[in-house]
Amino acid sequence: MSRRSFWAWGLEQDEPTGQQVREAAARLSQRYGVEVEPVMPPRAEDLRLRAPRISPPSALAAICSSDDHDRAVHTYGRSFRDRIRAFNLQFPNPPDIVARPTIEDEVIAVLDWCSSSGHAAIPYGGGSSTVAGFEPPDGYDGIVTIDLSALDQVLEVDDISRAARIQAGAYGPGLEAQLRPHGFTLRHYPQSFEYSSLGGWIATKRVRWHNGAESHHIGRFVEAVRMCTPRACGSRGE
Ligand SMILES: Cc1cc2nc3c(=O)[nH]c(=O)nc-3n(C[C@H](O)[C@H](O)[C@H](O)COP(=O)(O)OP(=O)(O)OC[C@H]3O[C@@H](n4cnc5c(N)ncnc54)[C@H](O)[C@@H]3O)c2cc1C
């Protein structure tokens, strides 16, 4: 599967080719009567990130990555400012580690590790924040971004109450694909649907989308949230 682009919305395979960039520059030059120079997009091989300052405990090594591309993808959200910095290969404060827990106990173990070591722990859903929601803060000797995308299952659907128990990392399309065989839909379609997650929608609380005159709010569909916090590690905050 193609990786996420570290500078554009979507996947690497969706990035414009050199040919497309040159053609776009020519079209713009013609339309606006000025010379628009084509600027070639950055390549993953051009990334030069600060070396990771920490290593995960051996028990978590299998779910942790310190790959430059992975850390670049998890540094910025998707605002215009974010995209410009990424395009210009400006990554002064990337996460040191990207952790991808696959079960709740691994989420707790990563939070325990961060708490006991004083590392920043940053939840990450689809990465579509436009307000620097998961951008690593200054002042930490270690930064661990916790990417929830491997926790993407609809665990249970109750046909009678029409309620579902869904993991936080489910992106819009995957979530709908799992509900469809039950004859259900969440019917929540922010414009970032393709690359944003249920956990991100709920965490940012007021995520809404508009359908003509109607405005839909994720809070209307949430009955309960099960949450792990650094403080509640071990005792499991709910
Ligand atoms: C092209 C585009 C279109 C958009 N369209 C809309 C729209 O129509 N309506 C709208 O309201 N917003 C929209 N947004 C904003 C954005 O998509 C939403 O804020 C979305 O809810 C973020 O979800 P995410 O999974 O990408 O979260 P992320 O960007 O990964 O994270 C957002 C914040 O939530 C936290 N977080 C994420 N997951 C969890 C979790 N499981 N547990 C705890 N904290 C978590 C992160 O730490 C961060 O602070 C759009 C953004 C883009 C780039």
Side-chain angles (χ1 to χ4, degrees):
M1 248 188 66
S2 182
R3 305 184 290 188
R4 289 289 293 274
S5 170
F6 73 84
W7 66 271
W9 178 254
L11 304 177
E12 270 186 338
Q13 69 188 24
D14 304 322
E15 291 176 4
T17 62
Q19 172 74 6
Q20 287 168 327
V21 171
R22 279 187 290 276
E23 285 171 7
R27 271 198 308 277
L28 290 169
S29 300
Q30 194 182 21
R31 177 174 297 178
Y32 295 109
V34 291
E35 192 59 32
V36 176
E37 283 291 324
V39 180
M40 287 304 137
R43 299 166 313 160
E45 309 87 271
D46 301 328
L47 286 167
R48 299 282 177 274
L49 267 60
R50 172 181 70 200
R53 299 164 298 175
I54 55 174
S55 315
S58 53
L60 294 175
I63 58 158
C64 288
S65 150
S66 54
D67 167 67
D68 276 4
H69 181 273
D70 219 2
R71 294 190 297 134
V73 168
H74 291 81
T75 302
Y76 297 131
R78 297 298 184 272
S79 71
F80 185 61
R81 175 172 174 261
D82 295 332
R83 296 301 88 205
I84 293 295
R85 289 184 291 173
F87 191 92
N88 289 331
L89 297 165
Q90 293 166 354
F91 294 97
N93 193 30
D96 298 287
I97 301 289
V98 176
R100 286 190 177 77
T102 57
I103 52 172
E104 184 177 307
D105 282 346
E106 289 174 350
V107 176
I108 293 170
V110 173
L111 290 173
D112 265 340
W113 166 44
C114 292
S115 292
S116 59
S117 311
H119 304 326
I122 306 176
Y124 178 103
S128 71
S129 174
T130 50
V131 292
F134 56 83
E135 188 171 323
D138 292 327
Y140 284 89
D141 296 333
I143 298 166
V144 181
T145 296
I146 308 172
D147 182 328
L148 279 310
S149 59
L151 288 160
D152 64 351
Q153 295 301 299
V154 173
L155 299 174
E156 199 181 341
V157 176
D158 179 33
D159 289 345
I160 306 294
S161 65
R162 301 199 296 172
R165 208 153 58 86
I166 307 173
Q167 292 181 314
Y171 285 18
L175 193 163
E176 286 296 331
Q178 293 178 74
L179 290 180
R180 203 168 299 126
H182 298 273
F184 293 134
T185 172
L186 182 60
R187 201 163 169 266
H188 184 71
Y189 302 109
Q191 286 166 16
S192 53
F193 179 76
E194 198 176 0
Y195 295 110
S196 60
S197 68
L198 177 67
W201 300 339
I202 296 172
T204 52
K205 258 185 161 175
R206 306 212 60 81
V207 167
R208 47 176 75 233
W209 65 281
H210 299 271
N211 174 17
E214 273 187 281
S215 173
H216 302 264
H217 189 303
I218 186 68
R220 288 174 48 200
F221 305 127
V222 180
E223 281 188 5
V225 171
R226 178 174 172 81
M227 189 178 293
C228 305
T229 74
R231 192 181 293 178
C233 273
S235 60
R236 299 187 183 197
E238 285 183 71

